Amino acid sequence: MIYSYYPGCTLKTKAKELDRYARSSAQALGIELAELPEWQCCGAVYPMARDEIATRLSSVRALASARDLGQDLVTLCSACHHVIKRVNHDMASDEDIRAKVNNYLDLPEPYAGETRVIHYLELLRDVVGFDELKKKVVNPLKGRKIAAYYGCLLLRPSKELGFDNPENPSIMEDFIRALGAEPAIYAYRNECCGGYVTLENNGLAQKKCNAIMASAKDAGAEAVITACPLCMYNLDANATEEKLPVHYFTELLAEALGVK
């Protein structure tokens, strides 16, 4: 199986482990992630204004490239996934945005939201299947209790992203079980960590990170996993009262598959 792959900027700089372990694990699962040539930064923040066209263009270029290759587009960073999938929804559903973007880009074939955008976790759940993933595990993570941290970008807005139930998600817990570990179910797993206000209001970010970590600890977690580089940084740097190791979910995946 071959998929177009959009890594995003952070996975090339500060979050190389998220990317590296995703690639080695995909190979072990018989999946080829073909990095899109000449991709550009998605902007990391979805443009809320309908008349903001320029910040949608790099996402549409990536989406159109995957379409032209006849492939689904796999994303990994939570922010990239959020932006690209929402822009894709715009291109499929908003005639005004679609017309302005296509007029600006002047693509050989206008883009209208044809590409399917899949997060790596969805690839594991919906394509590989967690039951099949479990069969591929060579180093089961038995005896370990892991807290899944979703954050906000993977789950909301739920109708556009269609990732999981925003109030009671299960995909990461099912992923943890497939690796042989036990998921810690805790109240703050889908609450914002305050990552986007870290520089402006570090005290608020610390308060939110401490609440998340305390909640995970109370549920018996020995570590936290995430798919978001910003959440990874924020939980690691700004959890001052309670500390747990924070890992990218792909690191545990590679460990369980024996390719770390």
Side-chain angles (χ1 to χ4, degrees):
M1 294 181 287
I2 303 176
Y3 293 87
S4 291
Y5 174 50
Y6 181 93
C9 308
T10 308
L11 273 64
K12 295 292 186 180
T13 53
K14 299 294 185 181
K16 292 181 179 179
E17 296 86 356
L18 180 58
D19 175 67
R20 182 172 71 249
Y21 293 132
R23 290 177 188 264
S24 61
S25 297
Q27 188 174 9
L29 294 169
I31 296 169
E32 180 178 345
L33 298 178
E35 185 173 329
L36 284 174
E38 300 181 359
W39 57 266
Q40 299 168 306
C41 176
C42 70
V45 179
Y46 172 73
M48 297 298 291
R50 289 185 66 250
D51 61 354
E52 178 57 63
I53 300 302
T55 49
R56 288 177 165 87
L57 299 180
S58 59
S59 294
V60 176
R61 287 190 184 99
L63 290 161
S65 295
R67 176 203 62 187
D68 293 345
L69 291 167
Q71 297 169 353
D72 295 334
L73 181 61
V74 171
T75 57
L76 188 50
C77 165
S78 297
C80 293
H81 177 75
H82 183 93
V83 171
I84 292 174
K85 190 150 190 181
R86 294 191 70 181
V87 169
N88 198 43
H89 180 268
D90 291 339
M91 294 300 290
S93 62
D94 193 309
E95 185 176 351
D96 182 59
I97 290 176
R98 182 168 62 246
K100 289 177 179 177
V101 169
N102 280 312
N103 286 339
Y104 188 96
L105 290 177
D106 192 25
L107 298 167
E109 181 182 347
Y111 184 75
E114 298 92 343
T115 299
R116 185 167 69 134
V117 182
I118 308 173
H119 190 272
Y120 195 100
L121 280 163
E122 293 177 299
L123 191 69
L124 295 176
R125 179 189 65 191
D126 302 333
V127 178
V128 177
F130 286 137
D131 287 341
E132 189 62 28
L133 174 60
K134 188 174 182 179
K135 297 176 186 176
K136 301 283 187 180
V137 169
V138 297
N139 297 318
L141 308 183
K142 291 182 179 179
R144 294 164 68 175
K145 194 166 186 178
I146 310 295
Y149 180 66
Y150 290 85
C152 11
L153 296 178
L154 283 177
L155 298 168
R156 304 177 179 92
S158 58
K159 288 184 179 179
E160 291 179 31
L161 293 177
F163 183 79
D164 206 343
N165 185 324
E167 299 302 326
N168 189 26
S170 62
I171 185 172
M172 292 181 76
E173 285 77 16
D174 291 340
F175 164 77
I176 291 167
R177 292 186 186 97
L179 302 187
E182 179 187 353
I185 310 298
Y186 63 109
Y188 284 80
R189 61 201 174 111
N190 57 348
E191 295 292 328
C192 178
C193 69
Y196 281 108
V197 300
T198 298
L199 295 179
E200 184 177 295
N201 191 341
N202 189 249
L204 176 61
Q206 286 184 352
K207 180 179 179 180
K208 295 180 80 67
C209 288
N210 283 329
I212 291 164
M213 287 298 198
S215 180
K217 263 192 169 183
D218 288 345
E222 62 184 65
V224 176
I225 59 169
T226 184
C228 179
L230 182 56
C231 295
M232 172 75 153
Y233 165 80
N234 203 35
L235 290 173
D236 185 59
N238 284 321
T240 55
E241 297 173 5
E242 302 284 354
K243 281 285 188 181
L244 285 172
V246 186
H247 306 285
Y248 291 119
F249 78 94
T250 54
E251 183 178 351
L252 266 68
L253 176 62
E255 180 184 347
L257 294 175
V259 294
K260 180 179 175 182

